[in-house]
Amino acid sequence: MSSEASAVRGAEAGDDPIISVRDLHKWYSGVHALQGIDLDIQRGESLGLIGDNGAGKSTLINILSGVYPPSSGTIVFDGRPVRIRSPKEATRLGIETIYQYNSVVPSMSIARNLFISREPLRWSIGGFGLIDTKRMHAEATRALSDVGLHLRSPDAVVSELSGGQRQGVAIARAMHFKSKVLILDEPTNHLSVKETNKVISFVRGLKSQGVTGIFISHNIQHVMQSCDRVVAMARGKIVADCRVADVTMDELVSHL
Amino acid sequence: MKALFKRSLQNTEIPGLVLLVVLVVLFSVFSNGIFVSTENLRGILGLLPEIGIVAIGVAILMIAGEFDLSVGSTFGLVPMVMVVFMSHGWGFAPAFGVAMLIGIGIGLVNAFVTLRLGIPSFITTLGMLFMMRSLTVVISGGFPPQIPSDVPRWLFTDYFGPGNFLRASFVWLVIIAICASLMLSRSNFGNWIKASGGQVAAAAALGVPVMRVKTICFAGCALLAGFAGVIQSLRLNSVMSSTGDGMELQAVAASVIGGVSLVGGIGTVFSAIIGALLIRVIDNGLVLTRTDPNWFKFAVGALIVFAVVANSWLQRLGKSVRVAG
């Protein structure tokens, strides 16, 4: 399956896709939101996904992160055909998604946020157990410093952090759990310039850790600053797919 | 030091605790010390478990982001079911067991209607409040059946300990409070409850089984309400069709006064118990200080508003305290 998949787009660079999507369709109550998407995402690449509202970016991402099933089509992940039935299954495969607003729970501490649904346990019965707070605290401290996020204490409540720091916490979580693919949904929305630069540098840092990044944004400039390759979508189809080095912003805009 | 100051400002249990101390002092002074007499404390602690146990369930459900207004009716229906079965010749244990299962069932219906049919739990449980109250009246057949004399009261309401200071129900309160508190603050399930109530979309995206978590909270809340209803019925030696009337609002009040957030995600088991204790203290203190007892509801109302205002003010103040590093 994987050899067949890579044969289709064998001419392209990299040629070691971590995700291969073929002929993906999605209908929502009469709307044809994805109309036959073919896409290979190479291992370690950072891919920008741009397009207007309703272009199908979110639908594609929601399918990859297990929120909705596709209506038809195949997904090959890390060489194996997969059906991603739930967000939990996506994270188990190594696909972590950071949503625009919902990446963290503001009323909880940083440490607890990092380990939601993956708490280190002292003991457990049938999946329920006592949290190993000491280990959680120590691992949280390390996870934060690994992404260069220097915060007072992992016990601080997330509602006290700035928007950029919250994205940082979500990214630290993905890195800590050794995600293979990190999907960022509009991570720079509503952030100040300084914070935006921080997030962009996080995204650039993914590459050095061998993580594949998918960066969804309608800000083409941010995508071009942080990605190797950019895919543009419009009306449920891919309308452009090029390396950032080979394209100008105006050319990209003309596709949308 | 500053960090500690900041943390205690933002601790939502503080306003309730301070109020408790202030009221205890005031009532003691104005009742010439009768308020803190052994006999009076025995009375307060004897009644506390009933509202306390209900408040624990309501608080945990509120932290999970849902409401239960039907606890008062469950508090009446569950012991009524038990007594009706016993009047048909059932023993205590099977009648108690079936009644508890019905309590869980009420919680599951609340959960199903709210979560699967997508209705606010406020509405679902408001409807259930009326329906379960009506059922209580219907199955009682209009007048309350007697509770047989051979029920194991020692297990629920008899006094024990030095000077017969405590009721058995107080032990139940302590056991339930400790288990619930450990569950909420130290277990992974507690983490999921807080995440589900704090930001449901994030919790779901991170793989928390939100539906299951909330369903368990609904069922647990109704179970605790029914259990507390059984305790009260055994203490009073009767179930009336009005048993538990108004209990739902007292339980919500106790949680809110203790610092549980109405929008979910924030609160502790301890805070619900402080809130419940405050309500018992006011009820009792007003009588002892010979205040017109009709002021009871006024005092509880004022307390709710005061506690919430104080809490949000302290949160803001705490936020403005900058901690270096």
Side-chain angles (χ1 to χ4, degrees):
Chain A
M1 184 74 202
S2 87
S3 61
E4 181 197 320
S6 50
V8 178
R9 296 205 146 195
E12 284 189 8
D15 229 12
D16 179 18
I18 181 125
I19 297 179
S20 292
V21 163
R22 286 292 168 276
D23 198 27
L24 207 63
H25 289 266
K26 179 72 187 177
W27 285 270
Y28 293 110
S29 51
V31 179
H32 199 175
L34 286 186
Q35 308 181 7
I37 299 292
D38 290 317
L39 182 64
D40 282 340
I41 300 168
Q42 304 299 331
R43 204 179 294 273
E45 152 175 83
S46 55
L47 177 85
L49 192 56
I50 60 171
D52 232 328
N53 289 338
K57 333 185 273 295
S58 298
T59 307
L60 176 59
I61 285 334
N62 280 330
I63 290 172
L64 290 179
S65 53
V67 178
Y68 314 125
S71 303
S72 68
T74 58
I75 301 169
V76 175
F77 182 80
D78 215 0
R80 279 184 307 129
V82 289
R83 299 184 66 174
I84 310 167
R85 293 183 191 86
S86 69
K88 186 108 190 163
E89 205 162 325
T91 44
R92 208 171 41 76
L93 287 169
I95 304 174
E96 189 101 8
T97 309
I98 299 175
Y99 293 96
Q100 194 175 337
Y101 301 110
N102 320 326
S103 54
V104 286
V105 180
S107 54
M108 294 168 74
S109 74
I110 298 171
R112 282 180 179 260
N113 259 287
L114 285 171
F115 291 95
I116 288 173
S117 93
R118 286 179 288 201
E119 296 85 358
L121 300 176
R122 262 181 220 279
W123 52 262
S124 67
I125 304 166
F128 299 116
L130 218 56
I131 297 176
D132 187 342
T133 31
K134 225 177 196 171
R135 201 175 122 206
M136 186 165 83
H137 197 278
E139 286 189 18
T141 308
R142 206 176 38 190
L144 292 176
S145 69
D146 280 353
V147 295
L149 201 59
H150 300 292
L151 296 166
R152 175 163 52 84
S153 150
D155 289 331
V157 179
V158 165
S159 63
E160 301 202 350
L161 303 183
S162 70
Q165 287 171 324
R166 292 181 197 199
Q167 296 286 3
V169 169
I171 291 170
R173 173 170 53 210
M175 304 308 265
H176 182 74
F177 287 102
K178 309 255 176 291
S179 299
K180 294 174 184 158
V181 175
L182 181 57
I183 302 172
L184 295 113
D185 187 11
E186 303 277 4
T188 57
N189 258 18
H190 311 295
L191 293 188
S192 67
V193 174
K194 200 173 144 206
E195 300 249 87
T196 299
N197 289 339
K198 184 125 206 181
V199 170
I200 288 173
S201 79
F202 278 139
V203 177
R204 283 200 185 133
L206 295 178
K207 208 180 177 65
S208 63
Q209 313 221 26
V211 176
T212 308
I214 304 177
F215 184 156
I216 300 123
S217 184
H218 28 285
N219 190 318
I220 299 174
Q221 202 183 342
H222 294 168
V223 168
M224 296 193 64
Q225 280 171 12
S226 52
C227 298
D228 312 323
R229 175 179 157 207
V230 54
V231 166
M233 291 183 70
R235 291 166 301 277
K237 289 180 180 144
I238 290 177
V239 292
D241 181 348
C242 36
R243 307 207 61 74
V244 166
D246 306 338
V247 71
T248 67
M249 224 158 95
D250 292 337
E251 285 168 343
L252 275 177
V253 173
S254 69
H255 288 294
L256 297 179
Chain B
M1 192 58 214
K2 215 173 169 190
L4 185 72
F5 176 61
K6 182 185 172 86
R7 199 155 331 145
S8 39
L9 278 180
Q10 292 184 312
N11 184 334
T12 52
E13 293 159 354
I14 296 292
L17 266 177
V18 171
L19 267 172
L20 188 60
V21 172
V22 169
L23 283 178
V24 166
V25 169
L26 276 180
F27 285 140
S28 303
V29 170
F30 285 105
S31 68
N32 297 320
I34 299 172
F35 182 81
V36 283
S37 67
T38 319
E39 201 46 39
N40 192 50
L41 291 181
R42 193 169 99 130
I44 293 178
L45 295 181
L47 298 191
L48 176 67
E50 292 156 21
I51 181 177
I53 290 172
V54 179
I56 290 173
V58 168
I60 291 176
L61 185 61
M62 273 169 74
I63 295 167
E66 302 290 347
F67 251 119
D68 189 350
L69 291 177
S70 66
V71 284
S73 301
T74 309
F75 188 97
L77 178 63
V78 167
M80 187 63 84
V81 167
M82 184 182 87
V83 170
V84 167
F85 272 110
M86 287 170 79
S87 74
H88 283 81
W90 286 43
F92 174 80
F96 175 76
V98 168
M100 286 296 131
L101 286 179
I102 286 182
I104 293 175
I106 296 171
L108 293 178
V109 171
N110 283 335
F112 178 82
V113 174
T114 303
L115 302 171
R116 297 287 163 188
L117 307 184
I119 287 175
S121 52
F122 190 93
I123 302 299
T124 311
T125 59
L126 182 63
M128 287 292 276
L129 180 159
F130 287 109
M131 289 189 277
M132 295 306 112
R133 177 59 63 195
S134 173
L135 266 185
T136 309
V137 181
V138 169
I139 67 166
S140 76
F143 78 104
Q146 289 293 309
I147 297 184
S149 54
D150 59 344
V151 293
R153 287 201 173 73
W154 61 272
L155 197 55
F156 296 96
T157 54
D158 280 353
Y159 284 107
F160 74 99
N164 273 341
F165 186 64
L166 292 170
R167 281 184 190 269
S169 54
F170 192 79
V171 177
W172 282 109
L173 174 67
V174 171
I175 293 173
I176 292 170
I178 290 175
C179 293
S181 190
L182 277 178
M183 183 275 288
L184 192 61
S185 63
R186 299 294 304 278
S187 79
N188 56 350
F189 188 71
N191 222 30
W192 303 348
I193 291 177
K194 288 182 192 157
S196 302
Q199 175 73 274
V200 67
L206 289 168
V208 173
V210 173
M211 292 275 195
R212 218 176 315 155
V213 169
K214 290 189 171 185
T215 301
I216 292 172
C217 291
F218 269 115
C221 176
L223 174 68
L224 289 178
F227 183 68
V230 169
I231 290 176
Q232 183 175 86
S233 307
L234 292 183
R235 178 174 62 81
L236 298 175
N237 211 12
S238 75
V239 198
M240 283 165 288
S241 49
S242 64
T243 295
D245 217 0
M247 182 59 97
E248 58 285 331
L249 294 183
Q250 285 197 23
V252 171
S255 305
V256 170
I257 291 169
V260 178
S261 162
L262 271 184
V263 291
I266 300 172
T268 62
V269 169
F270 185 58
S271 58
I273 292 174
I274 293 181
L277 187 54
L278 264 168
I279 289 178
R280 293 311 329 150
V281 161
I282 291 175
D283 190 15
N284 176 280
L286 289 181
V287 175
L288 282 190
T289 55
R290 300 179 183 206
T291 316
D292 182 349
N294 291 322
W295 286 98
F296 170 63
K297 284 188 178 171
F298 186 94
V300 172
L303 209 60
I304 295 174
V305 175
F306 174 82
V308 175
V309 170
N311 247 326
S312 66
W313 185 73
L314 288 175
Q315 289 298 319
R316 264 195 308 252
L317 190 68
K319 220 169 203 173
S320 68
V321 176
R322 285 272 157 240
V323 180

